[in-house]
Amino acid sequence: MASPPSLPDQRSADSSPPSDRRDDDHGALERAAPGLASPIRAAGFWAAIAMPVLYLPLLATGLSSSLDGGLFIGLLVGNLVALYVGHAHRR
């Protein structure tokens, strides 16, 4: 009975080369707005870094009202979008 491949073997078999993956993952923004892709990615990167500071006042005062809860969820979703857009900044 053959043993299953080791973890490094599984990683190399399951993943494509980094250059191919980068083109697949980030080609849509470059195709949609070729001149603006870099500034959009930079803005997403820095927004993802700065947005968690906005959570602090909400969490300090509590999420007692539905407005506070909705604002917190909106900030969380916005932060996730900024992380997705800006994760390839300076690669």
Side-chain angles (χ1 to χ4, degrees), residues 39-75:
I40 290 171
R41 291 204 189 281
F45 175 81
W46 290 109
I49 289 173
M51 284 179 82
V53 172
L54 300 174
Y55 300 156
L56 297 176
L58 284 172
L59 294 174
T61 60
L63 300 175
S64 57
S65 72
S66 61
L67 178 64
D68 290 341
L71 186 57
F72 181 76
I73 297 297
L75 281 171

Side-chain angles (χ1 to χ4, degrees), residues 10 72 76:
Q10 288 175 349
F72 181 76
L76 189 63

Side-chain angles (χ1 to χ4, degrees), residues 6-84:
S6 66
L7 187 57
D9 293 337
Q10 288 175 349
R11 284 185 190 152
S12 63
D14 293 341
S15 62
S16 61
S19 62
D20 293 344
R21 182 180 298 148
R22 184 175 179 196
D23 291 341
D24 293 343
D25 291 345
H26 305 108
L29 184 57
E30 280 75 12
R31 285 190 303 270
L36 296 175
S38 182
I40 290 171
R41 291 204 189 281
F45 175 81
W46 290 109
I49 289 173
M51 284 179 82
V53 172
L54 300 174
Y55 300 156
L56 297 176
L58 284 172
L59 294 174
T61 60
L63 300 175
S64 57
S65 72
S66 61
L67 178 64
D68 290 341
L71 186 57
F72 181 76
I73 297 297
L75 281 171
L76 189 63
V77 169
N79 199 194
L80 291 173
V81 169
L83 282 168
Y84 179 74

